[in-house]
Amino acid sequence: MDCIFCKIIAAEIPCFRLYEDEDTLAFMDINPASEGHALVIPKEHFPDVHVVSDAAIASTVVTAKKIASAINKTLNPDGMNLLQCNGPAAAQSVLHFHMHVLPRRDGDELKLNWGLAPGDMDAIGELAERIRENL
Ligand code: DGP
């Protein structure tokens, strides 16, 4: 299947991996909307919330909580959004169900549909290591 996240799960393309269990994978977003932006996905492929299984969404949310906690310890942000997008108007760009874990800073003015811009891979990799230490 031509799905970038399925390829990440299969280790066909690299990622800054944070956590993995039988059902889910968490890794850093390479187009971060904020410092520490991470993604959590079910290993089973579902395009969006309308078709994801109850088991897959449940395990994804549990892993997102774990990742949010580790990011909180690592970066001590002022807030955090757990966000999930479906369809073009909601700016879903990857059709594999995923949750964004988005650390927030006071006054960062982050809006929905924030747009994709590549991050600094060295900084993202270094941050992934720090977050993993807090898992
Ligand atoms: P969404 O726009 O809600 O579908 O979010 C998809 C996110 O996935 C977006 O923030 C950018 C990120 N992304 C896209 N391709 C890759 C990739 O190859 N690796 C990683 N780590 N993130 C990716």
Side-chain angles (χ1 to χ4, degrees):
M1 190 184 301
D2 194 24
C3 166
I4 193 133
F5 286 176
C6 285
K7 287 180 181 161
I8 287 175
I9 292 162
E12 289 168 18
I13 62 169
C15 72
F16 295 108
R17 197 167 295 245
L18 295 173
Y19 172 82
E20 181 169 10
D21 59 27
E22 203 180 325
D23 302 312
T24 65
L25 174 69
F27 54 100
M28 302 302 286
D29 195 308
I30 56 167
N31 303 132
S34 66
E35 186 190 27
H37 183 174
L39 298 169
V40 183
I41 61 176
K43 287 188 174 173
E44 194 174 349
H45 179 90
F46 299 99
D48 60 26
V49 74
H50 306 299
V51 292
V52 69
S53 70
D54 288 355
I57 195 171
S59 57
T60 300
V61 170
V62 170
T63 297
K65 179 183 176 190
K66 190 187 287 281
I67 296 302
S69 173
I71 292 174
N72 217 35
K73 277 189 209 150
T74 308
L75 289 173
N76 193 26
D78 301 311
M80 195 169 280
N81 287 118
L82 267 60
L83 180 71
Q84 196 277 316
C85 309
N86 306 279
Q92 182 182 15
S93 58
V94 177
L95 296 181
H96 181 124
F97 181 87
H98 54 279
M99 291 202 66
H100 295 267
V101 181
L102 276 167
R104 300 295 305 274
R105 293 289 175 194
D106 284 335
D108 65 14
E109 301 292 340
L110 183 63
K111 303 280 190 290
L112 288 174
N113 300 10
W114 52 78
L116 298 177
D120 174 336
M121 294 306 138
D122 290 338
I124 293 172
E126 187 264 336
L127 198 47
E129 210 169 300
R130 288 171 55 205
I131 295 168
R132 279 195 299 270
E133 283 167 12
N134 283 313
L135 273 165

